[in-house]
Amino acid sequence: MARRPVPRSSRPRTAAVAALVLALLAALLGGCSGGGGAGDGRIRIRFQSLAWQKESVAANKELVAQWNAAHPEVQVQYVQGSWSSVHDQLLTSFEGGEAPDVIHDASDDLADFAHAGYLADLRPLLSDRLKEDVPERSWQSVTIGSGIYGVPFLQEPRVLIANTALLDASGVRIPTPEAPWSWAEFRAAAARLTADGRYGVAWPLKDPVSATLNLGVSAGGRLFTREPDDPAGKAVLRWGAGDAVVPQTIHDQVNTDHSASRATLGMGGSDTLPGFFAGKYAMVPLGFSYRQQIVSQAPPGFAWQVLPAPAGADGPAQGVSPQTLSIARDSPYKKEAAAFIDFLLRPAGMVRLARGDWMLPTGARALADPALRTPEWGWATGAALAAGLRPAPAQSVRGYPEWKDKVATPALQEYYSGAIDLAALERRLVGDGNRVLARYQR
């Protein structure tokens, strides 16, 4: 039950009766609150986690249990959330006064919540250890205006998952983190890997926006820029040469080279794996965490490897939207919530969470752990890419979710299928997009 003000009665009451009623209501409200004090004197805070893989859920619950055992006066309740509905669910809980104290989300979902006043500014709450361990580029992804509204703790580069036998037989140069393919080399390699009944690459682009923008960072693509003369730092959309490199490569692979499958454009990453295992696609660009599914689902004897994503003029850089932990502004126990976050994200804990989600930690000490740098299953390749990870171009942009859903997703899907040309794509992303952003930044 949320804490809400008790309405004043229009009927006269004695002071004693009023005091008694208010005291009883306060006790009842305090006892029903999902996060708060209890009759035993303990503080109880709620931690909503979006962990979904079995290993990750187990790691989160074990860390919560460790905290509770060591802090009997501050007990944490684990609450299971879902990535598929988190934005709307959080919005409803914020507006209803029932938000969890500690909130698991992603950095690109924080801007509207922060501007609405739903999240606490963490600057006075963060420990020096945590501030120093997480690099500045990661803190930039959660800095909105002058405040910090989340702790970035997990990040996921995009990589190429390749069929080793087909790759070796093709004779193409094998890229490494130190010497990745250029986008032109990648296009040529995909064409060389294409044969009768087999595509060189499968692009799963059911959600095309984040893949396009984040991979485009390597080519100098930004799309979103801040007005330098605007004290409010409003974001606008501007199209540059670097913004065209990735979408044009994908478009040409599908429509000109026929080295990329048209059928996979509407698929999610998991949907492409059966065809990948069957040799229908030689390579699939996927998030780093998909390795877990490949390990568990690949047929016996199937050999695969992790390759770095192609690099452009800006080198092996790409945008990421780290997973974050935030604190609700209305939480009465912000210091305790911050202490729990600090406990959860100690180096050993961050390593456990990263391995549970098959992702990379943001913390420098955790990233240096030998367990995340083994060649097995491509961990070393991913760790080598961490230095090139940058905040996604749309970080902290108000109106981004609407632009993504209503403008960018349909425009990119039409462009990749060949229904519109590059000039039309630019007009829609920039022209229609700026009208959306303007509504949020008046």
Side-chain angles (χ1 to χ4, degrees):
M1 185 183 298
R3 297 180 184 272
R4 293 186 176 89
V6 180
R8 294 182 179 180
S9 172
S10 59
R11 296 173 59 188
R13 300 176 184 268
T14 66
V17 172
L20 177 60
V21 170
L22 290 174
L24 288 171
L25 283 172
L28 287 170
L29 287 171
C32 294
S33 177
D40 56 9
R42 293 180 176 181
I43 291 172
R44 287 184 168 85
I45 59 179
R46 289 183 298 156
F47 163 42
Q48 178 170 294
S49 170
L50 302 180
W52 62 275
Q53 298 202 66
K54 183 178 179 180
E55 298 162 280
S56 181
V57 172
N60 275 273
K61 289 184 174 180
E62 287 169 9
L63 289 167
V64 168
Q66 289 176 16
W67 166 275
N68 286 339
H71 302 83
E73 75 288 355
V74 181
Q75 294 289 284
V76 173
Q77 176 191 359
Y78 180 94
V79 179
Q80 186 63 61
S82 170
W83 284 108
S84 64
S85 59
V86 64
H87 183 87
D88 291 342
Q89 177 261 320
L90 283 175
L91 183 60
T92 300
S93 66
F94 283 133
E95 292 178 345
E98 298 190 16
D101 301 274
V102 178
I103 299 163
H104 182 185
D105 203 351
S107 59
D108 60 358
D109 195 37
L110 301 184
D112 289 345
F113 293 148
H115 283 289
Y118 294 138
L119 300 178
D121 183 353
L122 302 183
R123 287 176 298 170
L125 300 169
L126 296 171
S127 69
D128 291 339
R129 179 202 66 80
L130 198 53
K131 286 188 284 189
E132 293 168 2
D133 191 43
V134 176
E136 177 59 29
R137 61 179 179 272
S138 295
W139 287 118
Q140 291 173 4
S141 69
V142 292
T143 299
I144 301 167
S146 59
I148 292 176
Y149 293 94
V151 179
F153 71 106
L154 292 180
Q155 54 191 348
E156 180 175 28
R158 280 183 167 80
V159 294
L160 300 174
I161 307 294
N163 180 315
T164 298
L166 296 178
L167 198 66
D168 291 344
S170 72
V172 300
R173 180 180 75 82
I174 307 299
T176 65
E178 297 74 27
W181 281 329
S182 66
W183 284 99
E185 284 182 293
F186 168 60
R187 182 178 171 184
R192 191 163 177 175
L193 285 160
T194 300
D196 291 339
R198 183 180 75 232
Y199 292 98
V201 63
W203 282 99
L205 292 175
K206 183 178 181 179
D207 179 9
V209 181
S210 60
T212 303
L213 294 186
N214 290 337
L215 289 172
V217 170
S218 74
R222 294 300 302 172
L223 201 56
F224 292 86
T225 60
R226 298 283 180 179
E227 292 286 14
D229 299 329
D230 185 350
K234 292 180 181 178
V236 294
L237 288 150
R238 290 201 181 97
W239 184 269
D243 294 304
V245 172
V246 170
Q248 193 160 24
T249 299
I250 298 171
H251 172 277
D252 290 351
Q253 286 177 326
V254 174
N255 298 284
T256 302
D257 304 341
H258 305 292
S259 61
S261 169
R262 184 182 301 274
T264 65
L265 293 177
M267 292 183 180
S270 300
D271 301 327
T272 62
L273 294 183
F276 176 63
F277 297 147
K280 189 174 181 180
Y281 322 119
M283 298 182 291
V284 186
L286 292 169
F288 197 51
S289 64
Y290 276 91
R291 296 169 303 128
Q292 187 274 340
Q293 292 184 49
I294 296 171
V295 168
S296 64
Q297 297 174 16
F302 182 81
W304 57 279
Q305 61 192 98
V306 177
L307 307 177
D314 285 7
Q318 56 178 288
V320 291
S321 296
Q323 293 186 24
T324 57
L325 295 175
S326 301
I327 298 174
R329 185 176 179 181
D330 286 345
S331 171
Y333 302 111
K334 296 181 183 66
K335 289 184 179 179
E336 292 82 1
F340 169 68
I341 290 174
D342 192 70
F343 173 89
L344 197 68
L345 302 185
R346 294 174 302 172
M350 208 181 272
V351 170
R352 290 189 64 190
L353 295 173
R355 288 184 63 82
D357 262 326
W358 291 67
M359 297 174 71
L360 299 178
T362 58
R365 291 178 61 189
L367 188 61
D369 192 292
L372 301 179
R373 293 184 173 269
T374 173
E376 186 180 30
W377 299 329
W379 279 108
T381 299
L385 298 175
L389 301 181
R390 301 287 182 267
Q395 294 296 314
S396 76
V397 174
R398 298 190 68 187
Y400 169 73
E402 181 178 340
W403 174 81
K404 175 184 175 183
D405 293 343
K406 295 183 179 180
V407 176
T409 294
L412 284 167
Q413 288 173 337
E414 290 180 40
Y415 175 64
Y416 289 145
S417 69
I420 61 174
D421 62 15
L422 190 64
L425 175 67
E426 177 187 349
R427 285 195 300 271
R428 289 174 61 175
L429 293 181
V430 176
D432 295 350
N434 277 326
R435 284 189 284 274
V436 170
L437 298 189
R439 294 203 309 272
Y440 287 83
Q441 301 181 126
R442 291 171 180 165

